[in-house]
Amino acid sequence: MGTRVSTVMSFQRVEITSRHVADALMVARGEGLVRDDGKATKLNDGEVADDKGIDIWADTTLPYLQLRRRGGSVKWMVRTKKTLRSVGGVRERGPDYLSVAAARRAATDIYTELRYAKAVDPASDDETPVGWTLGQVCVGYQRFLAHDRWINNRTKPPSEGTNDDVRRAFGQASYQDLGIVPVLQLDRVQLNAARDGVSSYRQRQKCTAYIKAALSWAADEHPDESGLTESVPRWWENVNAGKPDPETMRQIEQRRKQHRQNKADLTVDAIAATLFAHEKYCAARERVPGFAAVTAGIRWGIWWVAFTGNRRLSTVELLRDNLKEQDEFGEPGWGRAEWTAEQMKGKEDFWLPLPPVVYAIAAASMSDWQKAVDYNGRAHTACAKTNWVFASQQRYVRGSVGTELKDVRIYPNSLNRHLQRMRAAGALKGLPLFNPHLVRSPVGDFIEQNVTGVASSLVLSHKLKDGGDEAAATTRNYYLTGQRMREKTAGMKAWSEALVAAYLKIPDARLPEPIEQRRGRA
């Protein structure tokens, strides 16, 4: 038997990341130990840790969120002054699995419920309070954002990203402390103090913006219930995020300078070189025993974002039913991809014309996925088909209850993580930074310089200002007026031809093809 290492309770306050989750799981498996310096490290040869200790990672962003390891169990917990409630687990195949981001969302909801249990649903007529507290305003505003809204005579679907930002803003400790304060007793001094209690300047900006929006929403939509009637001055509208300190200003300018340089370095040739390195990396992973192959959705998803400039979410949200091999209104051989308003950041329907080379990327993703599932997924015949163009080969939803097989698309961040693994392996050494969002800049710049600025904005799904060059709606059909596909086609044609030409200039480069043989098990 090895040397037995005694463990005691370890407590550290950090901004919890996936690294801390990995540390907790390593200790839970008996492979590591949280040392005196608070860092989890692997055990030395001959050491054996007992499992009597407890390790706690308390989050600095959401002080009530904790990651707790006790024995072989690791759980997300919400801690208040009087209660400790489990939120979920961290094991990816567990039925209660929560990622770090999902744990933050769930913790904020649970903490708000525990702290403001008497908060009244604004949609409820069962009770008419004299006035709301700030906590009730925040709860009501979050519920408001979680459903479809009617703006400018049209439905606007909820945005998952915005809802996450609002939860994070309202979950800041300094704002939570104001939750019990009636809004009629709230003043600028209190809001400024809460703002100053947030360390990150960017987070202060978001907190200020969302608190102002929530109070204005209560005054506009529920003046009688909230107490913010027409007679109450809207003083909160003049609250601001303050100014960053000199060090923060310097850091902001440095990041901006680096971002501008990253965009300038990511030329058409650099993107082509990255794609070439990506293909070499994927091929190497196929051959090395013990390593799973890069899945079809990841391999072809990288090609897709390079050719289309799509955001990560719209890429993985593309449904097979919304992919047309031939655009009936477009050029021969050109396909079309469609997204609904709910799937787009701008919350408007979006169509994109697809040159043959770009449609081939989507088709290869679908065929390669089917080959992999047919071979590796014989036990999963109940879900051997998918609705997604860039589908995951994982056949059930993380965090779902039970083991029911479901149709899962790849996770948006999977594309970023693939690129991070390539960088860690040295596969992108010497190449400019490439990621799915940064590539939108060179795509847009190229189309603006070689076609028009309008075509650039249309391809990237950026909203255009109303201009005088738009034909009357009665003279053009929806295909032309609503989606302006002719201009998008010109932009996509120019960009795809330039990228193909840059790729084929690389020695030994050839355009990628679907796999010819079924993948073996890793």
PDB file of all heavy atoms in Angstrom, residues 8-19:
ATOM      1  N   VAL A   8      -7.932  17.549   4.274  1.00  0.00           N
ATOM      2  CA  VAL A   8      -8.774  18.366   5.140  1.00  0.00           C
ATOM      3  C   VAL A   8      -9.618  19.258   4.248  1.00  0.00           C
ATOM      4  O   VAL A   8      -9.435  19.304   3.042  1.00  0.00           O
ATOM      5  CB  VAL A   8      -7.922  19.223   6.099  1.00  0.00           C
ATOM      6  CG1 VAL A   8      -7.152  18.339   7.067  1.00  0.00           C
ATOM      7  CG2 VAL A   8      -6.963  20.109   5.313  1.00  0.00           C
ATOM      8  N   MET A   9     -10.520  19.974   4.858  1.00  0.00           N
ATOM      9  CA  MET A   9     -11.390  20.841   4.072  1.00  0.00           C
ATOM     10  C   MET A   9     -10.575  21.949   3.407  1.00  0.00           C
ATOM     11  O   MET A   9      -9.802  22.650   4.055  1.00  0.00           O
ATOM     12  CB  MET A   9     -12.479  21.456   4.944  1.00  0.00           C
ATOM     13  CG  MET A   9     -13.406  22.391   4.181  1.00  0.00           C
ATOM     14  SD  MET A   9     -14.796  22.958   5.169  1.00  0.00           S
ATOM     15  CE  MET A   9     -15.594  24.065   4.025  1.00  0.00           C
ATOM     16  N   SER A  10     -10.743  22.087   2.104  1.00  0.00           N
ATOM     17  CA  SER A  10     -10.059  23.131   1.339  1.00  0.00           C
ATOM     18  C   SER A  10     -11.101  24.101   0.807  1.00  0.00           C
ATOM     19  O   SER A  10     -12.109  23.683   0.225  1.00  0.00           O
ATOM     20  CB  SER A  10      -9.279  22.509   0.179  1.00  0.00           C
ATOM     21  OG  SER A  10      -8.889  23.492  -0.743  1.00  0.00           O
ATOM     22  N   PHE A  11     -10.874  25.392   1.018  1.00  0.00           N
ATOM     23  CA  PHE A  11     -11.813  26.415   0.549  1.00  0.00           C
ATOM     24  C   PHE A  11     -11.020  27.468  -0.218  1.00  0.00           C
ATOM     25  O   PHE A  11     -10.026  27.996   0.294  1.00  0.00           O
ATOM     26  CB  PHE A  11     -12.535  27.071   1.721  1.00  0.00           C
ATOM     27  CG  PHE A  11     -13.538  28.126   1.304  1.00  0.00           C
ATOM     28  CD1 PHE A  11     -14.868  27.790   1.085  1.00  0.00           C
ATOM     29  CD2 PHE A  11     -13.148  29.443   1.120  1.00  0.00           C
ATOM     30  CE1 PHE A  11     -15.796  28.754   0.690  1.00  0.00           C
ATOM     31  CE2 PHE A  11     -14.067  30.414   0.731  1.00  0.00           C
ATOM     32  CZ  PHE A  11     -15.398  30.066   0.519  1.00  0.00           C
ATOM     33  N   GLN A  12     -11.461  27.754  -1.430  1.00  0.00           N
ATOM     34  CA  GLN A  12     -10.820  28.821  -2.200  1.00  0.00           C
ATOM     35  C   GLN A  12     -11.866  29.590  -2.978  1.00  0.00           C
ATOM     36  O   GLN A  12     -12.838  29.016  -3.469  1.00  0.00           O
ATOM     37  CB  GLN A  12      -9.755  28.252  -3.135  1.00  0.00           C
ATOM     38  CG  GLN A  12     -10.201  27.111  -4.025  1.00  0.00           C
ATOM     39  CD  GLN A  12      -9.070  26.556  -4.847  1.00  0.00           C
ATOM     40  OE1 GLN A  12      -8.318  27.300  -5.463  1.00  0.00           O
ATOM     41  NE2 GLN A  12      -8.920  25.244  -4.850  1.00  0.00           N
ATOM     42  N   ARG A  13     -11.653  30.898  -3.054  1.00  0.00           N
ATOM     43  CA  ARG A  13     -12.591  31.760  -3.778  1.00  0.00           C
ATOM     44  C   ARG A  13     -11.953  32.135  -5.110  1.00  0.00           C
ATOM     45  O   ARG A  13     -10.913  32.797  -5.151  1.00  0.00           O
ATOM     46  CB  ARG A  13     -12.916  33.012  -2.961  1.00  0.00           C
ATOM     47  CG  ARG A  13     -14.094  33.788  -3.518  1.00  0.00           C
ATOM     48  CD  ARG A  13     -14.604  34.824  -2.550  1.00  0.00           C
ATOM     49  NE  ARG A  13     -15.343  34.248  -1.427  1.00  0.00           N
ATOM     50  CZ  ARG A  13     -16.584  33.786  -1.496  1.00  0.00           C
ATOM     51  NH1 ARG A  13     -17.225  33.818  -2.654  1.00  0.00           N
ATOM     52  NH2 ARG A  13     -17.177  33.301  -0.439  1.00  0.00           N
ATOM     53  N   VAL A  14     -12.577  31.682  -6.202  1.00  0.00           N
ATOM     54  CA  VAL A  14     -12.051  31.873  -7.546  1.00  0.00           C
ATOM     55  C   VAL A  14     -13.217  32.128  -8.498  1.00  0.00           C
ATOM     56  O   VAL A  14     -14.380  31.921  -8.139  1.00  0.00           O
ATOM     57  CB  VAL A  14     -11.268  30.630  -8.036  1.00  0.00           C
ATOM     58  CG1 VAL A  14     -10.039  30.390  -7.192  1.00  0.00           C
ATOM     59  CG2 VAL A  14     -12.167  29.391  -8.038  1.00  0.00           C
ATOM     60  N   GLU A  15     -12.906  32.576  -9.690  1.00  0.00           N
ATOM     61  CA  GLU A  15     -13.928  32.596 -10.746  1.00  0.00           C
ATOM     62  C   GLU A  15     -13.920  31.203 -11.367  1.00  0.00           C
ATOM     63  O   GLU A  15     -12.987  30.832 -12.075  1.00  0.00           O
ATOM     64  CB  GLU A  15     -13.626  33.651 -11.803  1.00  0.00           C
ATOM     65  CG  GLU A  15     -14.711  33.707 -12.874  1.00  0.00           C
ATOM     66  CD  GLU A  15     -14.511  34.837 -13.857  1.00  0.00           C
ATOM     67  OE1 GLU A  15     -13.577  35.637 -13.665  1.00  0.00           O
ATOM     68  OE2 GLU A  15     -15.293  34.903 -14.835  1.00  0.00           O
ATOM     69  N   ILE A  16     -14.942  30.421 -11.074  1.00  0.00           N
ATOM     70  CA  ILE A  16     -14.954  29.012 -11.439  1.00  0.00           C
ATOM     71  C   ILE A  16     -14.941  28.852 -12.957  1.00  0.00           C
ATOM     72  O   ILE A  16     -15.736  29.469 -13.673  1.00  0.00           O
ATOM     73  CB  ILE A  16     -16.174  28.300 -10.837  1.00  0.00           C
ATOM     74  CG1 ILE A  16     -16.143  28.387  -9.306  1.00  0.00           C
ATOM     75  CG2 ILE A  16     -16.204  26.834 -11.257  1.00  0.00           C
ATOM     76  CD1 ILE A  16     -17.397  27.841  -8.643  1.00  0.00           C
ATOM     77  N   THR A  17     -14.039  28.014 -13.432  1.00  0.00           N
ATOM     78  CA  THR A  17     -13.939  27.707 -14.857  1.00  0.00           C
ATOM     79  C   THR A  17     -13.951  26.194 -15.034  1.00  0.00           C
ATOM     80  O   THR A  17     -13.980  25.438 -14.052  1.00  0.00           O
ATOM     81  CB  THR A  17     -12.649  28.281 -15.462  1.00  0.00           C
ATOM     82  OG1 THR A  17     -11.521  27.603 -14.874  1.00  0.00           O
ATOM     83  CG2 THR A  17     -12.529  29.780 -15.196  1.00  0.00           C
ATOM     84  N   SER A  18     -13.893  25.768 -16.280  1.00  0.00           N
ATOM     85  CA  SER A  18     -13.862  24.331 -16.550  1.00  0.00           C
ATOM     86  C   SER A  18     -12.612  23.671 -15.968  1.00  0.00           C
ATOM     87  O   SER A  18     -12.619  22.478 -15.671  1.00  0.00           O
ATOM     88  CB  SER A  18     -13.931  24.076 -18.064  1.00  0.00           C
ATOM     89  OG  SER A  18     -12.876  24.739 -18.735  1.00  0.00           O
ATOM     90  N   ARG A  19     -11.541  24.451 -15.787  1.00  0.00           N
ATOM     91  CA  ARG A  19     -10.329  23.888 -15.192  1.00  0.00           C
ATOM     92  C   ARG A  19     -10.585  23.460 -13.751  1.00  0.00           C
ATOM     93  O   ARG A  19     -10.111  22.409 -13.304  1.00  0.00           O
ATOM     94  CB  ARG A  19      -9.182  24.907 -15.231  1.00  0.00           C
ATOM     95  CG  ARG A  19      -7.892  24.381 -14.606  1.00  0.00           C
ATOM     96  CD  ARG A  19      -6.800  25.427 -14.657  1.00  0.00           C
ATOM     97  NE  ARG A  19      -7.108  26.561 -13.798  1.00  0.00           N
ATOM     98  CZ  ARG A  19      -6.901  26.569 -12.482  1.00  0.00           C
ATOM     99  NH1 ARG A  19      -6.419  25.494 -11.870  1.00  0.00           N
ATOM    100  NH2 ARG A  19      -7.179  27.634 -11.772  1.00  0.00           N
TER     101      ARG A  19
END
